[in-house]
Amino acid sequence: MKQIEQHACFGGSQEVWQHASSTLGCDMDFAVYLPPQAKQGPCPVLYWLSGLTCNEQNFITKAGAQAYAAQHGIIVVAPDTSPRGEGVANDEAYDLGQGAGFYLNATREPWAAHYRMYDYIVQELPALVDAHFPTTTARGISGHSMGGHGALVIALRNPGMFRSVSAFSPIVAPSQVPWGEKAFSAYLGDDREAWLEWDATALVAKATERLPLLVDQGDADNFLETQLKPHLLRDACETAGHPLTLRMQRGYDHSYYFIASFIGEHIAHHAKAMQG
Amino acid sequence: MKQIEQHACFGGSQEVWQHASSTLGCDMDFAVYLPPQAKQGPCPVLYWLSGLTCNEQNFITKAGAQAYAAQHGIIVVAPDTSPRGEGVANDEAYDLGQGAGFYLNATREPWAAHYRMYDYIVQELPALVDAHFPTTTARGISGHSMGGHGALVIALRNPGMFRSVSAFSPIVAPSQVPWGEKAFSAYLGDDREAWLEWDATALVAKATERLPLLVDQGDADNFLETQLKPHLLRDACETAGHPLTLRMQRGYDHSYYFIASFIGEHIAHHAKAMQG
């Protein structure tokens, strides 16, 4: 573990660390915000998963989350969105390869060797974070767009691991939209049945834990109709009896201006669940 | 005036506009945040001046100011830091030419033709803002680093124009530090007497209006000893009897993490002065 950035921020510390990931077979950077309360004792951890084209920087520089994390005493961990490096498979498109890991374990070459973001987020990263920072066992998870998909899928597949889950503008049904179809075809192959293990709308149907889902979606989001389709999650939750709070936010788009506007409410939601 | 960005943000609207600047002789982009209160009636305007290498994007994407501007009902205008474009003189260094206008009127070629950021900020931009947005006559000004220098100089040179002024990590004495010596030599020539018209520590000595200065400075700022030297402003204010609140903030550096941590207090300060 090598610290590559450290900045005082809202009385705490915004840091970026680098480590050699055994899961992903490459060096990975991740960001961690330590609130002022972490100097006194352990704090719950909110994991944030970013969207397509992002790395560990976007959320920490643009969302303004540190103000609320400092207020509530929450550690926030923001990893990169894919394996990286010269030896890691890539694609020229913005929505495949580096920057577009989709938080799954790829089964098809050339992707399978490194693209195991699911195992990284579920196993390696929390173990690393718990070993190096003053964490309690309480965890929450959230994310944006592809990262909202990741947060929902990871929470639904791991009952008991998280006290809370939320998402901004998530890709709720990747099996049914162009971004997901392209990525899943490449990473998982053509067996659409296998895709359902990575699709929140399918996972809700068989969830054994009814962890409430909080989803914010802007109604001026350019990707709403083609890629996001939150009504598919609403329908799946209604059918399964899974608790969902889906808030359509009037006039908001897909940008970090939207995330910044509501991240305070999300962090309060997670803090209540993690500290309650 | 052409709108080139619009995002809902904290119930208001974060916008970027482009116009042909007659002062600068080029197209200029500037950002404006309209709080929700601007839908109901006119609001005071806080002008924000960014630092070296920045354009109109840095502050609006990284400072998290919109949360506080929405809370207090303040319009925030963030211009670019220099003229831009192929026909505009430039330099390969980050601290001269485009991105480094220093908020002055250049008198030496090749700079004098376009580098008139002082006139732009004092005259053209406020006239444009007042003509197109629901503003009151109350104005405040703030900025960071080179922009902190700009805010202090512009407020001190224009008594009555601003109700409030503040700065983060300002270059308080450009005549006496490498960044300022390089820029002033290029833009203004070798007559150091002429430089004093653009140096806050010199302007404080002859100010006719005792507008209080609020300055935040991180004590872990890499530029503190070489470029910023806030004690020179403290000394000048003490000699002149000019009101100054200089807060040395422990552990904070020169980054936007520092600005984000205290911009809420600055906006509250400006709001009180502008609405009081």
Side-chain angles (χ1 to χ4, degrees):
Chain A
M1 284 264 288
K2 185 173 80 170
Q3 189 183 70
I4 54 179
E5 284 188 46
Q6 193 278 322
H7 311 275
C9 188
F10 286 97
S13 180
Q14 179 61 60
E15 305 179 354
V16 177
W17 291 80
Q18 187 172 83
H19 71 114
S21 166
S22 58
T23 306
L24 302 174
C26 63
D27 284 347
M28 289 293 284
D29 295 349
F30 69 92
V32 57
Y33 177 69
L34 299 169
Q37 295 87 340
K39 296 168 193 161
Q40 310 302 324
C43 297
V45 185
L46 175 64
Y47 287 85
W48 172 269
L49 306 182
S50 289
L52 287 167
T53 77
C54 290
N55 59 22
E56 86 291 346
Q57 290 290 323
N58 302 66
F59 182 72
I60 64 174
T61 57
K62 292 186 170 183
Q66 296 94 345
Y68 312 103
Q71 180 186 335
H72 292 284
I74 303 294
I75 293 172
V76 182
V77 173
D80 202 345
T81 58
S82 77
R84 301 272 182 185
E86 285 188 13
V88 174
N90 201 2
D91 190 279
E92 289 182 4
Y94 76 96
D95 53 1
L96 191 67
Q98 296 186 31
F102 271 85
Y103 304 102
L104 51 71
N105 293 332
T107 55
R108 297 243 306 184
E109 296 303 340
W111 310 106
H114 295 280
Y115 283 75
R116 302 187 63 80
M117 285 298 291
Y118 176 78
D119 282 355
Y120 178 71
I121 301 297
V122 171
Q123 295 170 11
E124 186 174 3
L125 185 61
L128 194 73
V129 165
D130 289 342
H132 286 85
F133 302 101
T135 62
T136 69
T137 57
R139 294 175 183 143
I141 191 164
S142 186
H144 175 234
S145 195
M146 176 183 76
H149 143 75
L152 295 172
V153 163
I154 287 171
L156 288 165
R157 286 175 63 121
N158 294 278
M161 183 171 177
F162 299 98
R163 301 269 184 93
S164 50
V165 57
S166 74
F168 290 81
S169 331
I171 306 171
V172 300
S175 302
Q176 302 179 52
V177 302
W179 274 341
E181 289 174 325
K182 177 178 179 179
F184 285 11
S185 295
Y187 297 146
L188 304 171
D190 295 332
D191 175 11
R192 285 180 170 250
E193 200 65 29
W195 295 7
L196 301 181
E197 297 297 318
W198 308 102
D199 184 310
T201 58
L203 292 168
V204 155
K206 56 180 184 179
T208 57
E209 179 197 48
R210 293 297 176 200
L211 188 66
L213 313 180
L214 170 62
V215 174
D216 271 323
Q217 172 63 58
D219 73 2
D221 186 325
N222 285 336
F223 302 111
L224 176 59
E225 303 294 339
T226 51
Q227 305 281 9
L228 305 177
K229 298 180 182 286
H231 64 278
L232 295 177
L233 183 64
R234 189 195 57 213
D235 294 347
C237 287
E238 280 179 6
T239 301
H242 197 102
L244 166 70
T245 302
L246 170 61
R247 311 192 302 187
M248 296 301 295
Q249 301 288 2
R250 187 166 174 189
Y252 286 87
D253 62 21
H254 202 67
S255 72
Y256 264 88
Y257 294 109
F258 170 49
I259 299 171
S261 299
F262 296 98
I263 192 70
E265 293 179 27
H266 282 239
I267 287 180
H269 169 79
H270 287 279
K272 189 176 175 187
M274 292 193 289
Q275 295 166 335
Chain B
M1 283 262 287
K2 183 173 81 171
Q3 189 183 69
I4 55 180
E5 284 188 46
Q6 193 277 323
H7 311 275
C9 189
F10 286 97
S13 181
Q14 179 62 60
E15 305 179 355
V16 178
W17 290 80
Q18 187 172 84
H19 71 115
S21 166
S22 58
T23 306
L24 302 174
C26 63
D27 283 346
M28 288 294 284
D29 294 348
F30 70 94
V32 57
Y33 178 67
L34 299 169
Q37 295 87 340
K39 296 167 194 161
Q40 308 304 324
C43 296
V45 185
L46 176 63
Y47 287 85
W48 172 269
L49 306 183
S50 288
L52 288 167
T53 77
C54 292
N55 59 23
E56 85 291 345
Q57 290 290 322
N58 302 67
F59 182 72
I60 63 174
T61 58
K62 293 186 169 182
Q66 296 91 346
Y68 312 103
Q71 180 186 334
H72 292 284
I74 303 294
I75 293 171
V76 182
V77 173
D80 202 344
T81 58
S82 76
R84 301 273 183 185
E86 285 188 15
V88 174
N90 200 2
D91 189 278
E92 288 182 4
Y94 76 96
D95 54 1
L96 192 66
Q98 296 185 29
F102 271 85
Y103 304 103
L104 50 70
N105 293 331
T107 54
R108 296 242 306 183
E109 295 305 338
W111 311 106
H114 294 280
Y115 283 74
R116 303 186 64 80
M117 284 298 291
Y118 175 79
D119 281 353
Y120 178 70
I121 301 296
V122 172
Q123 294 170 10
E124 185 175 5
L125 185 61
L128 194 70
V129 166
D130 289 342
H132 286 86
F133 303 101
T135 62
T136 70
T137 58
R139 295 176 182 141
I141 191 165
S142 186
H144 174 235
S145 195
M146 175 183 76
H149 142 74
L152 295 173
V153 164
I154 287 171
L156 288 165
R157 286 175 63 123
N158 294 277
M161 183 172 177
F162 299 97
R163 300 270 183 93
S164 50
V165 57
S166 74
F168 291 82
S169 331
I171 306 171
V172 300
S175 301
Q176 302 181 51
V177 302
W179 275 340
E181 289 173 325
K182 178 178 179 179
F184 286 11
S185 296
Y187 298 145
L188 304 171
D190 295 331
D191 176 10
R192 285 180 170 249
E193 200 64 29
W195 294 8
L196 301 181
E197 297 298 319
W198 308 101
D199 185 309
T201 58
L203 292 168
V204 156
K206 56 180 185 179
T208 56
E209 178 197 49
R210 293 297 177 199
L211 188 66
L213 313 180
L214 170 62
V215 174
D216 270 324
Q217 172 63 57
D219 73 2
D221 186 325
N222 285 335
F223 302 111
L224 177 60
E225 303 294 338
T226 51
Q227 306 281 10
L228 305 177
K229 298 180 181 287
H231 64 277
L232 296 177
L233 183 63
R234 189 195 59 214
D235 295 348
C237 286
E238 281 179 8
T239 301
H242 197 103
L244 166 70
T245 302
L246 170 61
R247 311 192 303 188
M248 296 302 294
Q249 301 288 3
R250 188 167 175 189
Y252 286 88
D253 64 18
H254 202 67
S255 72
Y256 264 89
Y257 295 111
F258 170 50
I259 299 170
S261 299
F262 297 98
I263 192 69
E265 293 180 27
H266 282 239
I267 288 180
H269 169 80
H270 287 280
K272 188 175 175 188
M274 292 194 289
Q275 294 165 335

